[in-house]
Amino acid sequence: MKFLGKLIIALLVVILVVLIAAYFLLQTRWGAAQISSWVNEKSDYSFSFEEMDHRWASPTHLTLTNVTFGRKGQPATLVAKNIDIGLSSRQFSQPMHVDKILLQDGTLNISPDAAPLPFQADMLQLSDMAINSPNTGWELHAQRVNGGVMPWQPKQGKVLGSTADIQFSAGSMTLNGVPATNVLLQGAINNEQVTLATIGADMARGSLTGNANRLADGSWQIGSLRLNDIRLQTDKSITDFLAPLATVPSVKIDNLEVTDARLEGKNWAVTDLDLSLRNLTLANGGWQSDDGRLSMNASDFIIGALQLNDPIVNIDFDPQTAVLRQFTSRWERGMVRASGQWQRNEKKLALDELVFAGLEYTLPADWKTLWLEPLPAWLNTVTIKKLSANRNLIIDIDPTFPFQLTALDGTANNLELVRNSQWGIWSGDATLNASAATFNRVDVRRPSISLNATDNQISITELSAFSGEGMLEATGAISQAQQRNAAINLRGRAVPVNLLQQWGWPALPLQGNGNLQLSVTGSLAAQTPLKPTVSGTLQATSSDGKQVQQTMQNGEIPGT
């Protein structure tokens, strides 16, 4: 028995010596290399570290230095200068679940292909780490990250786990190409739902604060979001800039506030923007709201060739209608004002009032082409209950038939300008007049026109202007049918007898002033030349009594 006791004691001593030797050997580079080699051979992981340190002054802490971990053949999931592992009595029952893991001075890559970390912890703490999340739909790159996850239970494709409280700060971060600094995030993860109770960051020389929730279906609920003094430049068009809103099922906004923002992109810009948006959900290219409201003003808003100065917009939203309570802006050295509503089901813009005053506007070179092109399917109808124009200058520089209207005034009632997504004057009445005008280099004074539109035709009840020492008067009609058959009767008294030459009628063998009587018909059908469709007669009498009568057929006068 004594021998057996001595043998057991000897074995225990040997085991103790071996353990002590292993303890010290594992804390050498040789021991670290042996453990790394064993893991690499026995698993699908790539793992290495330089040294392991354990101090009896902190017996529950184990430190690894210069650690690299990942899946073989893939970029490393974790690279860290130091990993401090806090141990507890749980290691006897759950060896891979520790009390605390501290990652210091390294990089953590979050992606669906990243290797799942084999450890779990009551708390994961990051200290001066970098985080990247490529190929996740959220291109995230963050530096100088500090924070923690409680508890930390990583899974394949979910480095932070399925359920945890999170708190992070980052010195700098880029999310989907948008940079930010001094970032703070506090919230929780609950399976596919993410709650961000606190969001804060300095971005684009301004600041962002707020809170939001991401639901399991990918939708977002923004409780409060405030942007102050943002100065953002991007190379994206406004469509591409707003495209992320369409990549999620919906975005519900309880309160969004933008103050003194300046944004600039490809062919668009807005300066000194103040915006308040409440109780609105964006989904499926439209909105959902019971009592939403948008209020916005800016110093300048530019998109393409359109530039608005000091625009002010106030819109109220309900389930089917967006009520434009106010729109005012300086535009083309003048002012435009409107109010009305957008009716979603009918795809109809119904304006109660539209006012133009003091404009100096040159029509786009392709305005005739734009007039004939169908509008997008979402805009089926445009009506204006009351239209007013005051002291406007309108210029067309088309070299084939330029014109200019000076001090143009006018009123119109119950106009329908778009029907079935096509521009036109489909109904309503209007009266327009100007102090002077030029039509293809022919000057006239005090031009005036009154018209009335119905489903069948546009009736020109009065058309007049002073020319030379006399006056022109006309009436006419244009069919609303596809052929756009038109007829006009014009009388001129004491006007230049060759007044019509610049408007398409051949020169007359008369001189000076005289009287004119013109009656013609033609077709204004789209994509059809006008001249070959014109037929009619002209009677002219000069001041010395000479008379000429000509008949035009299909745009030509026989014998001339």
Side-chain angles (χ1 to χ4, degrees):
M1 291 297 292
K2 290 183 179 181
F3 174 77
L4 181 60
K6 292 181 179 180
L7 179 63
I8 292 174
I9 293 173
L11 288 175
L12 290 175
V13 170
V14 170
I15 292 173
L16 180 60
V17 171
V18 170
L19 289 177
I20 293 174
Y23 171 77
F24 286 105
L25 285 175
L26 288 176
Q27 296 186 64
T28 65
R29 291 181 181 270
W30 180 87
Q34 294 302 309
I35 294 177
S36 300
S37 177
W38 183 82
V39 172
N40 293 333
E41 291 178 1
K42 300 298 182 179
S43 70
D44 294 330
Y45 299 118
S46 176
F47 174 68
S48 67
F49 69 98
E50 286 189 1
E51 289 183 332
M52 179 177 67
D53 182 49
H54 179 266
R55 300 179 184 277
W56 288 106
S58 301
T60 59
H61 284 266
L62 187 67
T63 301
L64 306 179
T65 60
N66 296 326
V67 181
T68 300
F69 174 82
R71 191 185 299 277
K72 290 180 179 178
Q74 298 290 334
T77 300
L78 172 66
V79 177
K81 184 176 181 180
N82 293 300
I83 298 181
D84 188 317
I85 302 174
L87 305 174
S88 67
S89 58
R90 179 180 291 186
Q91 266 58 71
F92 294 104
S93 58
Q94 294 178 279
M96 306 304 287
H97 190 121
V98 300
D99 182 59
K100 178 181 177 181
I101 297 179
L102 171 62
L103 306 180
Q104 293 179 305
D105 299 329
T107 300
L108 183 62
N109 294 313
I110 303 174
S111 72
D113 298 328
L117 299 175
F119 286 98
Q120 295 183 352
D122 291 340
M123 179 179 180
L124 171 67
Q125 185 175 352
L126 306 182
S127 176
D128 202 19
M129 292 286 291
I131 296 180
N132 300 310
S133 65
N135 306 318
T136 61
W138 292 85
E139 290 291 334
L140 171 67
H141 303 280
Q143 292 76 40
R144 302 192 306 279
V145 178
N146 297 284
V149 180
M150 298 176 60
W152 182 55
Q153 299 171 332
K155 297 180 179 180
Q156 176 67 44
K158 296 182 179 180
V159 174
L160 300 183
S162 297
T163 304
D165 293 327
I166 59 174
Q167 178 173 324
F168 293 107
S169 66
S172 63
M173 184 178 74
T174 301
L175 179 61
N176 288 344
V178 179
T181 59
N182 301 323
V183 181
L184 174 63
L185 296 176
Q186 292 179 323
I189 299 173
N190 185 5
N191 294 313
E192 298 300 325
Q193 182 172 339
V194 179
T195 300
L196 299 176
T198 302
I199 304 172
D202 295 332
M203 59 179 295
R205 293 188 289 174
S207 64
L208 175 153
T209 58
N211 58 78
N213 295 326
R214 181 186 182 276
L215 303 184
D217 64 355
S219 301
W220 281 89
Q221 294 180 342
I222 298 175
S224 175
L225 184 62
R226 178 179 291 274
L227 302 170
N228 293 317
D229 301 320
I230 298 297
R231 304 291 185 266
L232 179 63
Q233 288 185 320
T234 176
D235 59 355
K236 297 180 180 179
S237 67
I238 192 168
T239 301
D240 294 337
F241 181 72
L242 299 176
L245 293 176
T247 62
V248 297
S250 67
V251 179
K252 183 179 183 296
I253 302 171
D254 292 336
N255 186 13
L256 170 63
E257 300 286 343
V258 179
T259 304
D260 193 26
R262 295 187 182 183
L263 312 175
E264 182 177 352
K266 183 179 180 181
N267 296 324
W268 67 277
V270 58
T271 60
D272 302 329
L273 172 66
D274 294 331
L275 181 147
S276 175
L277 180 61
R278 301 175 186 275
N279 302 326
L280 187 73
T281 299
L282 303 176
N284 302 319
W287 84 87
Q288 299 171 6
S289 179
D290 291 327
D291 58 349
R293 173 168 292 188
L294 169 66
S295 297
M296 181 181 69
N297 63 81
S299 293
D300 297 285
F301 177 80
I302 301 171
I303 179 167
L306 175 65
Q307 180 172 352
L308 300 176
N309 306 112
D310 299 322
I312 300 174
V313 179
N314 290 293
I315 302 176
D316 293 338
F317 297 91
D318 61 38
Q320 295 300 330
T321 307
V323 179
L324 179 63
R325 292 189 292 113
Q326 178 187 17
F327 170 73
T328 59
S329 178
R330 291 189 297 112
W331 177 53
E332 298 293 341
R333 300 182 179 87
M335 184 273 293
V336 58
R337 183 177 76 246
S339 63
Q341 57 182 288
W342 166 257
Q343 300 169 6
R344 175 160 53 186
N345 285 345
E346 300 178 30
K347 301 176 182 179
K348 178 180 180 180
L349 176 62
L351 296 178
D352 298 324
E353 181 185 43
L354 180 61
V355 177
F356 297 103
L359 302 186
E360 297 179 12
Y361 183 55
T362 299
L363 295 169
D366 60 345
W367 73 270
K368 296 174 185 176
T369 301
L370 296 175
W371 179 267
L372 296 176
E373 289 181 352
L375 294 170
W378 55 264
L379 182 57
N380 184 66
T381 305
V382 175
T383 62
I384 304 173
K385 188 174 182 180
K386 182 179 180 181
L387 171 68
S388 300
N390 299 286
R391 309 296 294 177
N392 299 291
L393 173 63
I394 306 299
I395 302 172
D396 182 10
I397 58 175
D398 181 358
T400 60
F401 198 97
F403 66 81
Q404 176 176 311
L405 298 167
T406 304
L408 176 64
D409 298 333
T411 60
N413 297 286
N414 302 316
L415 284 180
E416 184 179 2
L417 295 182
V418 174
R419 177 182 291 182
N420 297 326
S421 299
Q422 186 64 61
W423 288 105
I425 305 176
W426 301 105
S427 65
D429 58 81
T431 298
L432 302 173
N433 59 80
S435 64
T438 300
F439 297 99
N440 200 24
R441 293 171 287 278
V442 175
D443 295 330
V444 298
R445 305 182 307 279
R446 307 300 303 174
S448 176
I449 184 173
S450 295
L451 57 85
N452 176 266
T454 64
D455 290 343
N456 297 322
Q457 70 176 20
I458 302 171
S459 299
I460 302 173
T461 57
E462 185 267 337
L463 177 62
S464 64
F466 292 95
S467 179
E469 299 176 0
M471 182 177 185
L472 292 168
E473 295 180 301
T475 58
I478 303 172
S479 170
Q480 297 280 31
Q482 186 174 1
Q483 292 302 315
R484 292 292 191 271
N485 294 323
I488 188 169
N489 294 304
L490 179 144
R491 298 185 305 277
R493 298 190 300 274
V495 298
V497 289
N498 274 300
L499 174 73
L500 302 181
Q501 181 180 354
Q502 289 295 106
W503 299 348
W505 197 277
L508 300 175
L510 299 175
Q511 299 295 326
N513 293 333
N515 297 331
L516 302 175
Q517 180 72 44
L518 175 69
S519 179
V520 294
T521 62
S523 173
L524 299 177
Q527 312 302 331
T528 301
L530 173 62
K531 182 178 179 180
T533 69
V534 176
S535 298
T537 60
L538 171 65
Q539 294 179 347
T541 303
S542 65
S543 57
D544 58 4
K546 294 181 181 180
Q547 294 187 350
V548 171
Q549 179 171 331
Q550 293 182 340
T551 299
M552 179 177 287
Q553 295 179 352
N554 300 324
E556 302 292 340
I557 298 177
T560 61

